Amino acid sequence: MKKLMDKYISEVDATISHAITTSDLGTNLEESMTYSLTAGGKRIRPVLLLLTLDMLTNDYKKGLAPALGVEMIHTYSLIHDDLPAMDNDDYRRGKLTNHKVYGEWKAILAGDALLTKAFEVVSHDDSLTDSVKIKLIKRLSSASGHIGMVGGQTLDMQSENTSIDVTTLEQIHRAKTGALISFAVMGAVDIAQPDETVARALSDYSDHIGLMFQIKDDLLDVYGDEQKLGKSVGSDIENDKSTYVSLLGLEGAEQKLQYHTDAAYNCLAQLPDQYDTSALKYIIELFINRES
Amino acid sequence: MKKLMDKYISEVDATISHAITTSDLGTNLEESMTYSLTAGGKRIRPVLLLLTLDMLTNDYKKGLAPALGVEMIHTYSLIHDDLPAMDNDDYRRGKLTNHKVYGEWKAILAGDALLTKAFEVVSHDDSLTDSVKIKLIKRLSSASGHIGMVGGQTLDMQSENTSIDVTTLEQIHRAKTGALISFAVMGAVDIAQPDETVARALSDYSDHIGLMFQIKDDLLDVYGDEQKLGKSVGSDIENDKSTYVSLLGLEGAEQKLQYHTDAAYNCLAQLPDQYDTSALKYIIELFINRES
C-alpha cells in the first residue's frame, strides 16, 4: 500500500512540475508559485482523491486535474497563513516560507495566482465533461471560500487568545482543514458518480478523517518529534491556543481520535463489496500513526 | 444612454447586495467582503459585460453571474493592492481601505474569499449551460491569474523605480487592467456565441478600450481634479512611476489615446448592421471623457 501511495505521489509531483507554465511577462512569479508547490508537501489531498477515484472506477487518471487544483489551493493557503500579518512563520517543513524567499508582496500575489490557477486547471482538463467540471468547481469553491477554508481560518484567527468550546473548535477544523480533505474524497465522487448511498458513506468518511487529521495534529504538538515534524512542539500551549488537548485533556483527545477512527472504518464497511476499500483503510491508519 | 448605464449599475448593485450570504461561522468576514464590494466602485466591468451581451442578444440577464464574478475579482485585487506590503494605501475612492477598517489579516482573507466566490458564483448560475460556464471560467481564470491580472501587478511592482519602455508599459497594462476589461466584453461573447468575425472585432475593441482606460488614468494623474478623482494627482511623478505621460510626454500620450479611440470605433464599425453599437460607442466616449 505504501508503494501505491508513492506511485500516486510521484504522479502528482510529475503533474505539478509542469503545471505552472511561465508567462511572457518576465517576472519570477511562476518560480515563487512553484517554490511553494514543491516545498515538500505530503500530497495528502491529491493522493486521497486519486485513491478514492481508483476505488470507484479503477481509473484514477481523470482525477489528476482536481487533485492538482486542491493541492494548489492548499499551498496558497499555507503561503498566506505564513505571512507576517497572519502566523508570521519563517519556516515550513524545514524550508524558508515563501515571503522569506520572495518578499511579502510577491508571496501575496503567488498565493492569489495559485488560487486562481486551481480553477484554471480544472476548467481546462480535457478528460472530464463540462458537467463534471462544473460539479468540481462548485465543490472546490465552496470548500475553499468564506463558508469553507477561508471562513475557518478567519474563525481560527479570531479565536486566538480567547476561550472557545469544543463545538467551536470542531467548526473551525471542519471549515479550515476538513473542507479540503472532504473535497478530495467527494471530488472523486463527482467524477465517478456512484450511488447516493455510496456518496453519503464517503462523505461521512471524509468528515471523520478530516477531524482525525486535526486531533492528531493537536496530539503531535504535545508528544511529537520535532525533527520529524519539522517544527517545534508545544507551540499551541505557548500560544495559548485552544486545541483538542487543551479542551479535553490528552486522554479525552485520544478518545475522540478513536471515536472518529472507528466511525471512519464503519463508513467504509457500509460500501458494497465491489469496492476494494483497502487504500482508504490505509489512509485511516496513516492518519492515526503519522509522526509528521 | 446615461439612463441605460444607470439601470445596469442598479441591477449590478442589487445583485451584489445579496451576493455574499453569511456563513454560520459567526465572523465578520462577509461584512468585510461586502464593505469593499460596495465601496463606490464604478461597475465598469460588469456594465460593459451586460451592455455587450444586450447588444448581441437583447438579453443581458444571462450576464449577471459573470458580471458579478468579474467585479468580485476586481474588488479583491484592489483590497490586496492596497495592503501595506503592496501600495500601502489608507484610502480608496474617499473611503478607508479594507485593511484600515478590518485589519491586515482579515483584508488578505476577504480578498481570498472574494476571488474564490467569483468562481462559485459563475459555476452556480442556473441560466447558463455547463458548457458556457466552463468557457467563462477558463477565460476568467486566465484573465485574472499569473498570465493576466496578477502577472501584470507583479510586473508593475517589479518595475517600480526602474526605467521601462513603452512596450513593457503596455505589457503591464494589458495584463493588469486590460485582461479583466477584455473579459467583460468577451465573457458576453462566450454567452452569445456570435460569428467568429464578430468575436474578433469585439476582442480587438476590448483591447483598445483597455489601453484607453489606462492612458486616461495616466493623464488624469497629471491634469485631473483631485476632488473628482478621490485621490491626489501627481502621485505618479512623485513615486517616479513610468507612465504613458512620463515615457511619451503629454502630447504623445494624448496622441496614443486618440489612436486607440479611433481603433476602437473602427472595430465597432466592422460589426454587422444587425447590432446596435451605440452603447459600446458610449463606453468609448465615457473612457475619453471620464474625470474620475
Side-chain angles (χ1 to χ4, degrees):
Chain A
M1 200 53 72
K2 171 88 176 64
K3 259 192 180 162
L4 187 68
M5 284 280 293
D6 287 345
K7 184 192 137 195
Y8 284 129
I9 290 174
S10 311
E11 187 106 19
V12 169
D13 284 340
T15 310
I16 281 174
S17 68
H18 58 255
I20 313 284
T21 48
T22 308
S23 78
D24 58 1
L25 293 169
T27 74
N28 66 351
L29 176 64
E30 287 83 5
E31 181 191 312
S32 73
M33 294 162 77
T34 303
Y35 173 81
S36 291
L37 263 183
T38 56
K42 294 188 292 289
R43 313 298 188 208
I44 289 169
R45 294 154 195 79
V47 166
L48 185 56
L49 196 153
L50 299 179
L51 289 174
T52 307
L53 188 57
D54 193 37
M55 179 191 79
L56 292 171
T57 67
N58 284 319
D59 175 14
Y60 69 89
K61 293 262 179 195
K62 285 191 173 180
L64 283 170
L68 182 55
V70 72
E71 187 70 2
M72 284 175 168
I73 289 187
H74 172 59
T75 304
Y76 113 76
S77 77
L78 300 182
I79 297 175
H80 282 190
D81 285 4
D82 288 337
L83 287 167
M86 300 249 239
D87 295 347
N88 195 20
D89 280 320
D90 293 353
Y91 289 91
R92 176 172 290 274
R93 300 174 193 132
K95 289 185 76 171
L96 283 170
T97 47
N98 194 294
H99 67 273
K100 293 305 284 184
V101 178
Y102 296 97
E104 202 175 332
W105 66 262
K106 199 168 282 162
I108 296 170
L109 293 175
D112 294 345
L114 278 171
L115 167 55
T116 312
K117 192 78 187 176
F119 295 104
E120 192 181 326
V121 161
V122 175
S123 68
H124 275 276
D125 187 70
D126 285 335
S127 72
L128 302 170
T129 64
D130 289 343
S131 153
V132 167
K133 287 193 259 191
I134 286 297
K135 279 197 177 82
L136 288 166
I137 289 167
K138 280 181 180 176
R139 196 184 291 277
L140 188 56
S141 56
S142 298
S144 50
H146 68 110
I147 59 168
M149 186 185 72
V150 175
Q153 170 68 358
T154 307
L155 186 54
D156 194 16
M157 293 282 296
Q158 186 176 297
S159 304
E160 269 180 13
N161 306 314
T162 66
S163 98
I164 58 169
D165 57 17
V166 177
T167 310
T168 306
L169 188 70
E170 290 214 343
Q171 223 182 355
I172 290 173
H173 294 313
R174 278 210 163 87
K176 186 179 168 176
T177 53
L180 279 200
I181 288 175
S182 190
F183 170 82
V185 174
M186 299 309 288
V189 167
D190 286 334
I191 298 171
Q193 302 184 42
D195 286 351
E196 186 50 45
T197 52
V198 173
R200 205 166 311 132
L202 285 172
S203 172
D204 290 345
Y205 166 82
S206 73
D207 184 49
H208 289 299
I209 61 168
L211 290 170
M212 280 177 65
F213 188 82
Q214 191 55 51
I215 299 167
K216 186 72 188 189
D217 227 52
D218 291 353
L219 287 165
L220 284 172
D221 192 67
V222 176
Y223 59 56
D225 180 326
E226 296 200 350
Q227 203 121 38
K228 284 176 183 163
L229 282 169
K231 61 179 179 186
S232 52
V233 303
S235 66
D236 291 341
I237 298 166
E238 209 171 290
N239 297 330
D240 198 19
K241 212 171 148 76
S242 295
T243 69
Y244 283 97
V245 179
S246 76
L247 294 181
L248 302 173
L250 206 55
E251 204 178 330
E254 293 277 14
Q255 276 170 4
K256 210 164 179 63
L257 178 62
Q258 191 58 50
Y259 166 77
H260 289 293
T261 305
D262 294 343
Y265 279 119
N266 190 40
C267 292
L268 295 181
Q270 290 167 37
L271 295 178
D273 289 344
Q274 70 188 97
Y275 299 123
D276 175 359
T277 58
S278 51
L280 295 193
K281 279 181 187 154
Y282 181 72
I283 293 284
I284 299 176
E285 286 161 39
L286 207 69
F287 277 24
I288 310 173
N289 298 323
R290 74 192 177 96
E291 297 183 307
S292 70
Chain B
M1 201 53 71
K2 171 89 177 64
K3 258 191 179 164
L4 186 67
M5 286 279 292
D6 287 346
K7 184 193 137 195
Y8 284 128
I9 289 173
S10 311
E11 187 104 19
V12 170
D13 284 341
T15 310
I16 281 173
S17 68
H18 58 257
I20 313 284
T21 47
T22 309
S23 77
D24 59 0
L25 293 168
T27 74
N28 66 351
L29 176 64
E30 287 83 5
E31 183 191 309
S32 73
M33 295 163 76
T34 303
Y35 173 80
S36 291
L37 263 183
T38 56
K42 296 189 289 288
R43 312 299 187 207
I44 289 169
R45 294 154 195 80
V47 166
L48 186 56
L49 195 155
L50 299 179
L51 288 174
T52 308
L53 188 57
D54 193 36
M55 180 191 79
L56 292 171
T57 67
N58 285 318
D59 176 14
Y60 69 91
K61 293 262 180 195
K62 284 190 173 181
L64 283 169
L68 183 55
V70 71
E71 188 70 2
M72 284 174 169
I73 289 187
H74 171 60
T75 304
Y76 113 74
S77 77
L78 300 182
I79 297 175
H80 282 189
D81 285 3
D82 288 337
L83 286 168
M86 301 251 238
D87 295 346
N88 195 19
D89 279 319
D90 291 355
Y91 288 92
R92 179 174 287 274
R93 300 174 192 134
K95 290 185 75 171
L96 284 170
T97 47
N98 194 293
H99 67 273
K100 293 306 283 184
V101 178
Y102 296 97
E104 203 176 330
W105 67 261
K106 198 168 283 161
I108 296 170
L109 293 175
D112 293 344
L114 277 171
L115 167 55
T116 314
K117 192 79 186 175
F119 295 104
E120 191 180 328
V121 161
V122 175
S123 68
H124 275 275
D125 187 70
D126 285 334
S127 72
L128 302 171
T129 64
D130 289 343
S131 152
V132 167
K133 286 193 263 191
I134 286 298
K135 280 197 176 81
L136 289 166
I137 289 167
K138 281 180 180 176
R139 196 185 289 279
L140 189 56
S141 56
S142 297
S144 50
H146 69 111
I147 58 166
M149 185 184 73
V150 174
Q153 170 69 358
T154 306
L155 186 54
D156 194 16
M157 293 282 297
Q158 187 175 296
S159 306
E160 269 180 15
N161 305 315
T162 66
S163 99
I164 57 169
D165 57 17
V166 178
T167 310
T168 306
L169 188 71
E170 289 212 347
Q171 223 183 356
I172 291 172
H173 294 312
R174 276 211 165 87
K176 185 179 171 177
T177 54
L180 278 200
I181 288 175
S182 190
F183 170 82
V185 174
M186 300 309 288
V189 167
D190 286 335
I191 298 171
Q193 302 183 43
D195 286 351
E196 187 50 45
T197 52
V198 173
R200 205 167 309 133
L202 285 172
S203 174
D204 291 343
Y205 165 82
S206 73
D207 184 48
H208 290 299
I209 62 170
L211 289 171
M212 281 177 65
F213 188 82
Q214 192 55 51
I215 300 167
K216 186 72 188 190
D217 227 51
D218 290 353
L219 286 165
L220 284 172
D221 193 67
V222 178
Y223 60 55
D225 180 325
E226 295 201 350
Q227 203 122 41
K228 283 175 183 162
L229 282 169
K231 61 179 178 186
S232 52
V233 303
S235 66
D236 290 339
I237 299 168
E238 209 171 293
N239 297 331
D240 197 20
K241 211 170 149 75
S242 295
T243 70
Y244 284 97
V245 180
S246 76
L247 294 182
L248 302 173
L250 205 55
E251 205 178 328
E254 292 278 13
Q255 275 171 3
K256 207 160 181 66
L257 178 62
Q258 190 59 49
Y259 166 78
H260 289 293
T261 305
D262 294 345
Y265 278 120
N266 190 39
C267 293
L268 295 181
Q270 290 167 36
L271 295 177
D273 289 345
Q274 72 190 94
Y275 298 123
D276 176 0
T277 58
S278 50
L280 295 194
K281 281 180 186 153
Y282 182 72
I283 292 284
I284 298 177
E285 286 161 40
L286 208 70
F287 276 24
I288 311 173
N289 299 321
R290 72 192 179 96
E291 297 182 307
S292 71

